[in-house]
């Protein structure tokens, strides 16, 4: 099976812009989770989607949103970007309690 | 509120010796624990996991021990190899009424360096 794929791998945006990141889970996995990794805060849970519904949400502002499509692919959107949003954004798909991560999207906000 | 803690930011061991990475947690609702290995600019790679109903799980050179009363888990790597040098994260999954979900709480990570 192919692994979790994320696009794009790198992004550079400026403050105030918005960005959309995409994730395709492992075939057959219905749960997709998103995480933000920063040097100061480590890996932090953003939200999880299961069967097109948000099942869990972390402690992030409403500027961070997501959705999942019927084929389980997921997108994450960040509006009104801030410098502090610069991070590695990781997507993971879950099967039997085990999460498998994609390579991440490195977002730089200037 | 750091619910999962890895108190050692770094660890250095000699090739062939044992590496022991530790993790503590505070939430008794966690019932599934995982260890991941991560290289810079890559996603974490799943290593090994353990359910709260067990106290040990072994997979090749990797063994995870869980002490529920102490809310402590550890990852043992024997023998350590230079290729094991990476950041190791422990993670915990909270129990929910519908079973475990896709939410993991991660520790801050421990950087392991295995010297040849």
């Amino acid at each position: 099976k192919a692994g979790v794929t994320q696009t794009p791998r790198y992004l550079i945006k400026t403050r105030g812009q918005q960005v959309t990141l995409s994730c395709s889970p492992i075939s057959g996995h219905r749960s997709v989770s998103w995480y933000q990794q920063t040097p100061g805060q480590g890996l932090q849970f953003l939200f999880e989607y299961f069967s097109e519904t948000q099942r869990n949400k972390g402690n992030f502002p409403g500027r961070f949103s997501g959705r999942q499509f019927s084929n389980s692919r997921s997108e994450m959107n960040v509006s009104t970007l801030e410098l502090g949003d610069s991070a590695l954004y990781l997507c993971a798909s879950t099967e039997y309690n085990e999460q498998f991560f994609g390579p991440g999207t490195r977002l730089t906000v200037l | 509120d750091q619910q999962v803690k890895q108190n050692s930011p770094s660890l250095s061991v000699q090739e062939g010796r044992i590496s022991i990475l530790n993790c503590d947690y505070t939430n008794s609702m966690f019932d599934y624990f995982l260890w991941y290995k991560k290289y810079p600019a890559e996603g974490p790679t799943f290593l090994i996991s353990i359910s709260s109903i067990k106290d040990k799980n072994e997979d090749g050179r990797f063994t995870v021990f869980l002490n529920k009363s102490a809310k402590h888990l550890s990852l043992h790597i024997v023998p350590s190899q230079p290729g094991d040098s990476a950041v190791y994260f422990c993670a915990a999954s909270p129990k929910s009424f519908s079973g475990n979900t896709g939410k993991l709480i991660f520790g801050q990570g421990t950087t392991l360096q295995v010297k040849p």
Side-chain angles (χ1 to χ4, degrees):
Chain A
K1 283 185 181 178
V4 179
T5 58
Q6 292 187 246
T7 55
R9 292 293 312 277
Y10 301 93
L11 264 180
I12 299 176
K13 294 284 188 180
T14 55
R15 279 184 300 173
Q17 287 187 308
Q18 78 164 26
V19 67
T20 300
L21 313 181
S22 181
C23 171
S24 292
I26 293 170
S27 178
H29 290 192
R30 291 192 293 164
S31 166
V32 174
S33 302
W34 289 89
Y35 295 84
Q36 181 196 65
Q37 185 184 22
T38 58
Q41 298 297 321
L43 272 154
Q44 291 193 291
F45 174 78
L46 278 155
F47 30 66
E48 179 208 6
Y49 286 85
F50 181 84
S51 294
E52 302 178 64
T53 301
Q54 188 179 84
R55 185 160 70 171
N56 275 293
K57 189 176 187 307
N59 295 325
F60 279 81
R63 301 185 297 107
F64 292 81
S65 63
R67 60 178 175 168
Q68 187 179 34
F69 302 94
S70 58
N71 61 358
S72 293
R73 189 178 70 85
S74 177
E75 287 182 347
M76 186 192 116
N77 185 276
V78 188
S79 62
T80 319
L81 283 166
E82 300 177 359
L83 294 178
D85 297 333
S86 294
L88 180 67
Y89 289 89
L90 292 158
C91 162
S93 67
T94 301
E95 184 178 58
Y96 304 123
N97 297 322
E98 290 166 7
Q99 285 194 7
F100 302 90
F101 284 81
T105 295
R106 169 69 63 183
L107 172 64
T108 301
V109 182
L110 303 176
Chain B
D1 178 24
Q2 193 71 22
Q3 298 185 67
V4 178
K5 296 180 183 179
Q6 293 176 257
N7 291 317
S8 298
S10 63
L11 174 68
S12 181
V13 300
Q14 210 62 39
E15 180 179 6
R17 307 293 289 267
I18 184 172
S19 296
I20 300 176
L21 297 101
N22 294 303
C23 180
D24 297 297
Y25 62 95
T26 57
N27 191 335
S28 58
M29 292 299 289
F30 291 150
D31 74 339
Y32 201 79
F33 303 89
L34 307 90
W35 283 94
Y36 287 87
K37 174 180 177 180
K38 188 178 184 302
Y39 295 111
E42 292 184 11
T45 301
F46 170 75
L47 279 174
I48 192 169
S49 61
I50 188 166
S51 164
S52 60
I53 63 172
K54 295 185 174 182
D55 54 20
K56 177 183 174 181
N57 189 25
E58 198 169 348
D59 184 1
R61 296 187 298 114
F62 302 92
T63 303
V64 56
F65 295 92
L66 175 62
N67 182 333
K68 287 193 296 283
S69 60
K71 294 192 176 67
H72 177 84
L73 64 154
S74 61
L75 174 68
H76 293 209
I77 306 173
V78 183
S80 301
Q81 300 172 353
D84 295 330
S85 298
V87 180
Y88 288 78
F89 289 93
C90 70
S93 178
K95 193 185 308 181
S96 75
F97 70 93
S98 60
N100 290 92
T101 64
K103 175 179 180 178
L104 293 180
I105 309 299
F106 281 85
Q108 292 292 90
T110 296
T111 300
L112 172 66
Q113 183 185 29
V114 180
K115 297 179 178 178

